Amino acid sequence: QQEVYQELGVHIVSFDRPGYGESDPDPNRTPESLAMDVEELADQLGLGSKFYVLGFSMGGQAVWGCIKYIPHRLAGAGMIAPVVNYWWPGFPSNLSTEAYYFQLPQDQWTLRVAHYAPWLTYWWNTQNWFPASAVAAGRAEVFSSQDLEIIANEEFCSGQLRAYPMQQGNFESLHRDMMVGFGRWEFDPMDMEINPIPDGGGSVHLWHGEEDQMVPVTLQRYIAKKLPWVKYHELPGKGHMFPLIPEISQSMIKALLYDEN
């Protein structure tokens, strides 16, 4: 894909969020602090007054934070199968409840602990009496059939690639993500009735697989209906791991750069 990005004239920067890889943990991490991290990194790298942000899965919390807190710095934003907080007040209770129970029972309990008793998150995910998060464990039940084909790729599953993000342990990475992603946010994204990026200077895209077994598509559909300024792309037959398909990732980059529907 490097040749495609060179042809487009873009530089893609990926960074370790706090607690992942070699980035210092941040016990006070929030969507706002993540947005500040992104802005500081962009300035340190000299990316200019405006840049694009793109987040996959749990990275959605960082993108929502950027849209809320640093919209003046964004040339555009994209969210790929972003994890949704079932406790955002803007969701109709019947819809969020139905989506919540779409998960495996053990994931329901894991997120309930992360939301209502975050101080127990580490204990819950390390105790042996009850099954902990199936998503964090990468159990086959949380993937679509296409996802399983994608992650069977030897390169994706190599020990080195899997070990690097988690080298500081699960608590300040996976567990902190749970507490932030499903905790009590300082804002509700669905209160943003108008595109916060000033003067229509950039668009926001959201891509989601129709057969995603991790993040219910029903909630993304509601977000698209509630926030018409979000350009929603639903991919038939796709699960959660579709951005690892080269032609799809290339099309998403082009849509973000050229503001394609």
Side-chain angles (χ1 to χ4, degrees):
Q1 298 191 65
Q2 189 63 35
E3 295 79 10
V4 175
Y5 299 145
Q6 289 177 349
E7 179 185 339
L8 295 172
V10 298
H11 295 280
I12 297 180
V13 177
S14 177
F15 75 103
D16 298 334
R17 290 182 294 127
Y20 283 94
E22 299 180 6
S23 289
D24 293 336
D26 181 2
N28 300 312
R29 173 151 58 102
T30 65
E32 181 177 10
S33 72
L34 283 171
M36 298 301 105
D37 288 343
V38 170
E39 183 175 36
E40 181 178 357
L41 177 63
D43 289 339
Q44 291 290 331
L45 295 176
L47 299 185
S49 60
K50 287 183 177 289
F51 47 85
Y52 294 90
V53 290
L54 191 63
F56 169 50
S57 195
M58 269 298 190
Q61 59 184 258
V63 177
W64 278 122
C66 289
I67 294 170
K68 171 67 176 180
Y69 294 108
I70 58 168
H72 57 288
R73 299 299 307 274
L74 302 183
M79 290 176 281
I80 305 169
V83 169
V84 174
N85 188 323
Y86 298 95
W87 289 273
W88 285 343
F91 283 133
S93 59
N94 62 326
L95 182 67
S96 57
T97 299
E98 179 183 359
Y100 178 80
Y101 286 108
F102 172 80
Q103 305 173 98
L104 293 174
Q106 63 199 81
D107 286 314
Q108 296 172 27
W109 276 104
T110 298
L111 299 191
R112 196 175 286 139
V113 169
H115 181 78
Y116 292 108
W119 57 90
L120 291 177
T121 300
Y122 177 77
W123 172 82
W124 179 264
N125 285 279
T126 54
Q127 51 77 35
N128 296 315
W129 292 286
F130 307 102
S133 171
V135 172
R139 282 181 46 183
E141 296 95 316
V142 302
F143 295 106
S144 71
S145 57
Q146 186 193 59
D147 287 339
L148 292 174
E149 294 177 7
I150 293 173
I151 62 178
N153 180 284
E154 182 177 352
E155 180 181 359
F156 176 76
C157 291
S158 69
Q160 183 177 3
L161 286 178
R162 293 171 65 90
Y164 174 81
M166 317 309 300
Q167 61 185 283
Q168 299 186 60
N170 287 345
F171 179 68
E172 286 297 348
S173 50
L174 289 176
H175 300 168
R176 184 72 62 186
D177 260 348
M178 293 178 190
M179 291 186 283
V180 174
F182 301 102
R184 292 174 173 82
W185 283 33
E186 318 96 288
F187 69 99
D188 183 348
M190 280 167 290
D191 287 339
M192 297 187 285
E193 298 179 356
I194 301 174
N195 186 353
I197 300 178
D199 305 319
S203 60
V204 176
H205 293 256
L206 195 161
W207 291 270
H208 205 84
E210 180 188 24
E211 297 184 9
D212 194 323
Q213 302 299 306
M214 293 190 192
V215 185
V217 69
T218 53
L219 297 182
Q220 309 292 16
R221 291 171 181 165
Y222 184 83
I223 291 172
K225 180 181 178 181
K226 181 76 172 178
L227 305 177
W229 50 271
V230 174
K231 296 188 176 183
Y232 179 58
H233 313 267
E234 188 169 308
L235 285 67
K238 300 297 185 289
H240 193 72
M241 309 302 291
F242 66 84
L244 295 177
I245 301 173
E247 55 268 28
I248 293 181
S249 63
Q250 292 169 16
S251 69
M252 290 189 294
I253 294 294
K254 291 178 180 178
L256 189 60
L257 294 176
Y258 302 123
D259 199 15
E260 299 173 352
N261 292 316

